[in-house]
Structure formats: structure tokens, C-alpha cells
Amino acid sequence: MPWPFRRLSRKVKSLLRSRSGRAAAVNELEAAGPSSAPPSATAGQLPPVVDITPSRSMLDRNRAKDSGGTRVAGRSGASQALANPPTGSSSERLSVGAFATSGTHSQSARPTEIALIASYRQPVHESAAASNTAQLLLTPPLKDTLSASPLPIPLAPSASYFSNSRDFTVSQLNVNNGFSHSKTLFEYLSPHISHGAVHDSSERCDAPACHEETRVAIRDDIVGWIRHGDENGEPKKIMWLSGPAGAGKTAIAGSVAETCKQEGILAASFFFSSFSPSADRRSKRGFIATLAYHISQNEALHQFKEHLHTAVERHPDIFYRNLKEQTERLLLGPFRLIRDRGEGMGWPKVIIIDGLDEVVATEHEDTTTRQHTPWTSEDDQLEILDVLLALSQSPTFPFRVLVASRPERVISDFFASDSAQITTTSIFLDSKYNPDADIKLFLEAKFSNIRRRAGISVAWPGQGAVDHIVDMSSGQFIVPATVIRWVESGVPQRQLDDVLKLNAKNKNPFASLDALYHHILQRAHNPTDDPHLVVKWLLSINSAAGMGTPCAMFWRGFLEDEEGELSYRLAPITSLVSVPPPNDTSSPMTIYHKSLADFLSSPTRCGELYVKKPVYTSFISERILVVLKNKGPVVPLPSAMDLANFLEPFFNLDLLCGDHLELLTSLSNDSKAELSSCDSTPW
């Protein structure tokens, strides 16, 4: 036969074999009966569909394989045997095309892509079930199934896709049920974190720190409480470290934080600062988010980190809620979900917070009126204290909390409350820790470094200069720290002379100290008609230092026009002057800093707060006149004995002990007339 006819003969035979094979498949389906048809529409069942999508290269190679033995190649290239599909009692049969790959395919060959997609087909009528199924089986292979629509194949409804299977092997099966986060935890929290508030942030690179040989006793007490506080008879979860302005609280807190970091027991830290260029260090807004993030960075708390991540993703508006809600969602909530605590093995132990008194108020919007309500700084400070107390009282929260602040009235009152005393221990930086000895060590070490760098004789500056600075420091580290910064800023001998002689002219060695005094005094509650009233009160208290230090009861009687006025006006500046509570009738009022008196007496340093001597004298004279007219304080004393205790220091006032000329000349004409009309018989 000529060769064109031989080619035609082969095509005809191939076509006949193909048709006979398809006819056999149809006959087999018809013989199977209605049991192999999909469920009827009235049955209400929507069978899932398995979509099997092989690549083109797989289809090409599979044509040469036996369709009876099915092998599926994984991504590693190794073929795995796939058992016979389920048959028998099932109302549907799982029909899977035979795809196979060679175990020795080339590096560039694409592996089999199998996508099992659980979907549902619309119900079909039983009469068309067999023909529809046959049509699916007889559909030729797709040209490129990676881009084409998948072939839907009905499955039998079952609790498992592999029920009634035999000789079925599954290997290297990876099932990932984990929740995939759309963003990292840092991406969620970063806009709401105060990055500069952490103890070791770049913003605090020049923050004060304790000299290694100073403040040893106080640091040991604090670190010992952090390490072994649970061993005490009555464990306390909060420690309040307080003291006058400039006492070194921030330096101590920073040094303790660094020690805890090195030992792996620091969970988080937040150092507030009203002088910081970053507004978020003066605000409560980023407080909880910052603590939560830095707690999550501890490797031992990876479970907390995951729960925190989930909480933030589920509640993205949490950063605009109040601190109580933030504490619940970002701290307590994630800790409750930690199942395997392992008794806290390897967990950190403490959170350190400094400068709570420097929190500045933020505006709040009333949700009903949409008007901004001005809150005070004290309101925000109390809100922070409330959440810290709630944390300390929760058995879920595993850390201790160290809080360092000045003893401002609102903070002192909070820690004096019954609820706070149960869980709080307090340390006040006073003479108990011998600050003068530490200041002397600090100065000697600093002067030694300055001599070495500048090549100055070992005789400089002399013991007298050191003792003078210790004396003027009044136990407050801010004074020697300020002196050393000034000495290092120029020729050391000349700079030190400026400090000792206070003849700085246009230069101010205490610029940073004065800025602190300005900041505190401007927060006092002065009346609108006398913005210098509190400064006059401080000058009065300081002037009486040499007359036996009158008790607080005397100053309340001498200075107040209304009961409780003194406590109210001095509340924001109790870091400069001690103010005993009203029921304390014996404790004195004392100014912590000798340098404060120098500040108030210098017009160049005090600036707009300066009160001239005639103005101050006139103020004292008027107060004396009020007592003489009323035959005692404006606010009556409860008993004759209290009046006698008041009059003793009253008659020792400088203006009454002298020749009275200064008193009389400083009074106004109206006041002189009132004085002349006073009944002197009781006196």
C-alpha cells in the first residue's frame, strides 16, 4: 500500500480504538445504576468538589504511563502511591485522573500542582446524572490547566475525604492552621510607642546616672526588693521612690534599670520628662503601648507576644481608648491566655517608671457634646496610678512596679490611701542614706577626672571647695551635677571660681537648676490678682529659719485667708518645700534646697518670679496687721492653747522684734489708720 494510505489507515484504527474505549466507559456508568449519580436536588445536599490541576509537563509525561497505577509527585520530586478511590456504599465515587511524574525528571521540570478546593456545585436532576458524569470523564485533558478553570469532580458527602480508603499512604503532609497577621507587631504599635521614653533610648544618652561608688545603699535596697520581694512576710508589688526635686531619683531609677537589664529581669521601662523634645514623653498616650511592646520583646514571653499581636489586630482602635481599657486588652488579657507559665521560669521581674509627676495633661473629647474638656495634669497622673494599682492587684500580672516621682500632693495622697498601702512600699530620699557622703564621693571622682584631662595640680580644688559645694547641695544631687557641668564647660579654675563666688555676671553656672525651679514654681496655685503669692510665702518661711523653725500650724494661721488655702496653693511644689498634713500640728515646714533661697533672692536668676524686698516687706506687714486686728489668725484656732502656741513664734518675727520702723513705713495709709484704731488692750 502506498505510504499515504498507510498513514490514513493508522489514523482510522486509532479513532476506532478511542470510540470503543469511550463507549465502554458509558456502558459501565449505565450498568452502575442510579446509585452512582449525584444526590437529587430535593435531597438538599451540595456535594463538595475536588479540583485537580496538573501542569502541562505532567500531562505530557503521564500519557506514557499506565492509568491504573496513580502516583503523585510532591514538591520534593519523590513519587507517592495513591490508593484506590472509595467505592461501594458511598452514593458517589471519587474519580481522580491518573497523573504521574518520573522520579528522575530534570531540575527545570515543574512538579505536579494539585489544588484540593472545597467548593459546592448546584444540584442536578437524577435523570441527567449519568450523562453528566460520563461527559466529565470523557472530557479531553486541558492544554494548560494552570491558567484554565479546574475540572469539578463530585465527591461523596463524608466526614473525611479518605473514608473507606485502602492501602493509602500520606507522607510529608504539612497542615498550617496558624493565624497569618497582616502586619508585624512593631508595625501596629510603632505609631503609638514613645520610643524615647525607654531607659536606654538614644534620647536619654546623656541622662543622669549614679556614679558606681555612690547611692550604693539605696540601689541595693531597690534591687534586693526586685529580686527577693516575694520572700517578705507581706510581699508588696509596688515600690514608690520619692524625694525632693534634684534628689537623684532619675539617676537611681536609670541605674537600677540598667542593672536589671544586664541581669535579664527588666520587663519594660518608661521615663517621663516634661523637658523632653518628644511630646509623647510628657503624655500618657503611649504609656501602655510602650510597656506592652517592650514586654513582648523578652524571648521568654513569646506566648504573650503572640496573644498581644492577635489582640492588636482584632482591636485596632484600642490605642484611642482610656488607659484602663488599654491595660485590659494589651496587658492583662494576653497574660490570661498564657497556659504554660512554667512558674515564670526565665521571665523578667520588674517594670520601672520615672518622672510620674512630669506627666502633662492631654485634651479629652466629651462623646456627647463633642467638646474638648480640659483635664489637669493631676487627672492624668491619677489615671496612670489607678492602672498601676489594678495591675499590682491582679494575680495574672507577674511583675513588680517601681515608680519614682517627686512627692507632689496628688501622688502622695494616692499612696497614702488604704487601697494603695496594702500593695505599696515606700522609700524617701533623705538623710537616712547619707547623701552628703555620696555627694562628696561624686565630687572627688569628677574633680579627679577634670585634673587628669586638663593637667591641673592635684592640690586643686582643695578640700574647702568640695565641702562648700556639699554644704550648698543640701543633700540634693542636682546641685553638684550642675556645678560639674559648669566647671567642665570652660577653664576649670575660672569656672569653679564663678560658682564659689557667685560673680558670674552675664554667665549663670546654675542655668539648668534655675530652669527646674522655674518649671516647678510656675505650677503653683497663685490667685489671679497676685501671681507672686507663693513666692512671698516661700520667702516668709525661709526668713523664719533662724527663729526655731515654726511648725506648719503657725504658717497656716499666719498666711491663710481661708481654711485649707496653704495646702491647696503649695500642693504642686511640695518637691521644693515639705508641707505636713493639716492634722499634723507639730512638724515644721522646711525648704529642701538652700539653693532655692539663693535663686529667689537673685533677680537675674529668678527673672519674672522675682519679688523685690519692699514688696515682700509690705506683704509681711499686712499679714501682721491682720493678726493684730483679729487678735489672732483669720481662721480661728480651736483652743486657747493653740492660740498661745501660735503667738509665740508670731512675736518673734523680725518685723516685730525690731524698732517697728520698717513695719510702719511699709504699711499703706489705710492700713496705718486701721492699726491706730486697733484695741491694744488684749495684747
Side-chain angles (χ1 to χ4, degrees):
M1 181 182 298
W3 67 268
F5 298 100
R6 287 198 300 270
R7 182 179 302 174
L8 177 61
S9 174
R10 287 196 298 269
K11 289 183 178 181
V12 171
K13 292 179 181 180
S14 175
L15 179 61
L16 292 176
R17 284 196 298 269
S18 175
R19 289 182 175 178
S20 62
R22 294 190 181 188
V26 172
N27 293 335
E28 181 181 354
L29 287 173
E30 292 176 350
S35 62
S36 59
S40 65
T42 59
Q45 297 177 346
L46 300 177
V49 175
V50 174
D51 296 335
I52 300 177
T53 310
S55 64
R56 179 188 297 176
S57 58
M58 290 297 100
L59 292 173
D60 292 341
R61 286 194 294 270
N62 289 340
R63 293 191 181 98
K65 301 294 182 180
D66 182 6
S67 61
T70 301
R71 291 186 298 169
V72 179
R75 290 192 179 273
S76 62
S79 301
Q80 303 294 338
L82 184 64
N84 297 327
T87 58
S89 61
S90 176
S91 61
E92 292 183 30
R93 291 190 179 90
L94 173 64
S95 301
V96 181
F99 304 111
T101 60
S102 171
T104 58
H105 63 273
S106 66
Q107 185 69 22
S108 61
R110 296 181 61 182
T112 304
E113 300 289 337
I114 299 180
L116 298 178
I117 304 175
S119 60
Y120 291 96
R121 297 181 58 211
Q122 295 295 331
V124 296
H125 197 273
E126 291 185 3
S127 60
S131 60
N132 288 344
T133 306
Q135 182 64 32
L136 288 173
L137 290 173
L138 298 177
T139 302
L142 298 174
K143 294 183 179 180
D144 191 347
T145 56
L146 290 178
S147 58
S149 300
L151 292 174
I153 302 177
L155 289 175
S158 172
S160 171
Y161 286 127
F162 307 109
S163 59
N164 301 324
S165 299
R166 297 187 304 273
D167 301 328
F168 196 91
T169 301
V170 177
S171 65
Q172 297 181 354
L173 177 65
N174 293 323
V175 179
N176 184 11
N177 288 328
F179 182 74
S180 178
H181 300 289
S182 59
K183 292 193 294 188
T184 65
L185 181 61
F186 181 76
E187 288 174 330
Y188 277 117
L189 295 180
S190 181
H192 310 285
I193 294 176
S194 178
H195 298 281
V198 187
H199 86 281
D200 56 356
S201 68
S202 59
E203 186 175 317
R204 298 191 71 253
C205 61
D206 60 347
C210 294
H211 188 272
E212 58 183 6
E213 297 179 2
T214 64
R215 313 303 257 177
V216 175
I218 181 67
R219 286 189 285 159
D220 286 347
D221 284 353
I222 296 173
V223 175
W225 169 78
I226 294 171
R227 293 174 182 151
H228 311 296
D230 288 332
E231 300 173 6
N232 298 333
E234 296 181 359
K236 307 287 189 179
K237 296 291 289 292
I238 297 178
M239 175 178 282
W240 179 37
L241 173 66
S242 64
K249 300 179 295 297
T250 296
I252 293 171
S255 297
V256 170
E258 187 60 30
T259 299
C260 292
K261 175 186 175 183
Q262 293 173 0
E263 296 185 9
I265 58 176
L266 178 65
S269 61
F270 199 107
F271 282 66
F272 290 103
S273 174
S274 58
F275 293 98
S276 171
S278 302
D280 51 14
R281 284 190 63 191
R282 304 191 293 270
S283 170
K284 68 178 183 180
R285 292 187 185 279
F287 178 61
I288 298 299
T290 302
L291 295 184
Y293 177 73
H294 287 282
I295 290 172
S296 72
Q297 297 309 292
N298 190 288
E299 293 183 359
L301 293 170
H302 57 89
Q303 294 183 67
F304 170 82
K305 180 178 182 179
E306 184 59 35
H307 294 312
L308 173 64
H309 201 165
T310 302
V312 173
E313 193 146 46
R314 289 177 177 173
H315 307 281
D317 64 335
I318 189 62
F319 309 105
Y320 306 99
R321 304 292 184 90
N322 58 51
L323 292 190
K324 180 181 179 181
E325 186 66 18
Q326 291 186 39
T327 301
E328 173 61 32
R329 295 291 187 185
L330 303 181
L331 292 176
L332 293 179
F335 273 115
R336 289 194 192 99
L337 296 175
I338 298 178
R339 301 301 181 189
D340 182 17
R341 289 179 174 266
E343 298 183 355
M345 296 298 295
W347 286 18
K349 293 180 178 293
V350 68
I351 292 174
I352 297 178
I353 300 162
D354 177 71
L356 181 61
D357 54 283
E358 299 192 38
V359 173
V360 178
T362 56
E363 284 190 343
H364 297 261
E365 183 177 293
D366 192 321
T367 56
T368 58
T369 63
R370 296 299 178 185
Q371 294 181 350
H372 289 281
T373 304
W375 277 33
T376 65
S377 298
E378 289 78 9
D379 291 331
D380 283 1
Q381 293 165 17
L382 279 177
E383 187 178 7
I384 293 174
L385 287 171
D386 284 336
V387 299
L388 293 179
L389 182 61
L391 288 173
S392 69
Q393 294 174 340
S394 172
T396 302
F397 195 68
F399 309 125
R400 303 186 183 284
V401 181
L402 172 63
V403 180
S405 77
R406 301 178 193 133
E408 307 294 16
R409 176 52 56 86
V410 64
I411 301 175
S412 298
D413 289 347
F414 177 86
F415 283 115
S417 65
D418 294 338
S419 58
Q421 285 185 341
I422 295 174
T423 188
T424 302
T425 182
S426 300
I427 294 180
F428 189 83
L429 295 177
D430 53 15
S431 57
K432 171 185 175 182
Y433 292 99
N434 197 7
D436 287 352
D438 283 337
I439 290 174
K440 187 174 182 179
L441 284 172
F442 171 80
L443 288 171
E444 289 174 346
K446 291 297 184 180
F447 281 132
S448 177
N449 291 337
I450 294 172
R451 286 197 304 267
R452 184 174 59 255
R453 292 197 305 266
I456 302 174
S457 168
V458 70
W460 180 86
Q463 193 60 47
V466 173
D467 291 342
H468 179 73
I469 299 173
V470 171
D471 182 64
M472 66 186 294
S473 299
S474 304
Q476 314 310 317
F477 264 81
I478 190 172
V479 176
T482 302
V483 169
I484 292 299
R485 281 197 297 269
W486 176 257
V487 172
E488 291 177 331
S489 65
V491 178
Q493 298 93 324
R494 296 179 183 176
Q495 298 291 95
L496 182 58
D497 287 342
D498 287 341
V499 173
L500 300 178
K501 298 176 182 178
L502 291 177
N503 60 352
K505 297 181 182 179
N506 294 329
K507 299 177 293 183
N508 183 5
F510 297 105
S512 60
L513 181 61
D514 293 350
L516 174 63
Y517 287 155
H518 271 100
H519 173 72
I520 297 174
L521 289 173
Q522 287 172 345
R523 298 169 66 178
H525 294 147
N526 289 295
T528 55
D529 59 342
D530 189 358
H532 294 88
L533 179 64
V534 169
V535 174
K536 295 173 186 176
W537 285 7
L538 293 177
L539 291 172
S540 302
I541 296 169
N542 184 69
S543 68
M547 48 180 270
T549 312
C551 64
M553 185 193 70
F554 168 77
W555 291 117
R556 294 182 190 278
F558 184 71
L559 298 174
E560 286 184 343
D561 287 326
E562 297 180 63
E563 189 175 10
E565 182 183 8
L566 186 138
S567 294
Y568 166 72
R569 299 205 183 280
L570 295 185
I573 65 167
T574 50
S575 59
L576 299 180
V577 57
S578 66
V579 182
N583 58 357
D584 187 342
T585 60
S586 59
S587 297
M589 290 184 63
T590 55
I591 295 177
Y592 289 123
H593 305 267
K594 293 179 181 178
S595 58
L596 177 61
D598 297 333
F599 167 79
L600 294 176
S601 62
S602 171
T604 57
R605 295 177 60 188
C606 199
E608 73 278 4
L609 296 176
Y610 180 69
V611 175
K612 296 179 180 180
K613 180 66 178 296
V615 176
Y616 163 69
T617 303
S618 176
F619 168 76
I620 293 293
S621 300
E622 295 291 341
R623 298 310 306 177
I624 291 174
L625 175 61
V626 169
V627 174
L628 293 175
K629 286 171 51 181
N630 289 278
K631 301 177 180 61
V634 175
V635 179
L637 295 172
S639 67
M641 181 59 69
D642 291 328
L643 178 60
N645 292 333
F646 168 81
L647 291 177
E648 181 180 357
F650 173 76
F651 284 115
N652 286 326
L653 291 175
D654 289 341
L655 292 181
L656 288 176
C657 292
D659 55 10
H660 311 302
L661 292 179
E662 192 173 8
L663 168 64
L664 294 175
T665 56
S666 62
L667 289 173
S668 65
N669 292 331
D670 292 339
S671 296
K672 291 177 182 178
E674 290 182 19
L675 181 61
S676 63
S677 64
C678 287
D679 182 9
S680 60
T681 303
W683 298 110

